[in-house]
Amino acid sequence: MNARIELTDIDRPREPLEVEVVESNARAMVVAVPGTIMKFELRLSQDGASFEGAIGGRYFRFDPSASTTREGESAATKGRKVAAA
């Protein structure tokens, strides 16, 4: 699965983390941080409304009903380089 999702940082809601979903089922999902070798697991919260997990001292939440996912990257953005200012 190559879907990318945004996780909300509980303490810094304006600093989301974009991750790639590696595995997913009804109770847990494994996500990877693009451009790194880091993976971590999100588990379904006690109220069943969202997935929650922590990495590097930051605690994240993902609400599947309130988010959209992106499948990979568009062909227009792959390999595009940004010029230095």
Side-chain angles (χ1 to χ4, degrees), residues 3 13 21 56 59-61 84:
V21 178
Y59 191 77
F60 294 97
R61 177 174 287 152

Side-chain angles (χ1 to χ4, degrees), residues 24-83:
S24 173
N25 63 43
R27 305 214 37 88
M29 68 173 63
V30 176
V31 296
V33 180
T36 72
I37 58 169
M38 299 175 73
K39 290 183 183 179
F40 64 106
E41 185 174 81
L42 301 168
R43 295 214 171 258
L44 193 61
S45 63
Q46 288 184 342
D47 64 7
S50 62
F51 288 86
E52 301 174 345
I55 186 170
R58 292 178 70 182
Y59 191 77
F60 294 97
R61 177 174 287 152
F62 172 69
D63 181 357
S65 64
S67 73
T68 59
T69 60
R70 290 189 300 137
E71 291 293 327
E73 295 181 56
S74 71
T77 60
K78 280 188 179 179
R80 185 175 69 185
K81 294 183 180 181
V82 177

Side-chain angles (χ1 to χ4, degrees), residues 6-17 53 58-63:
E6 280 193 353
L7 305 180
T8 302
D9 185 321
I10 301 302
D11 297 319
R12 298 179 235 167
R14 293 186 178 163
E15 296 179 25
L17 176 65
R58 292 178 70 182
Y59 191 77
F60 294 97
R61 177 174 287 152
F62 172 69
D63 181 357

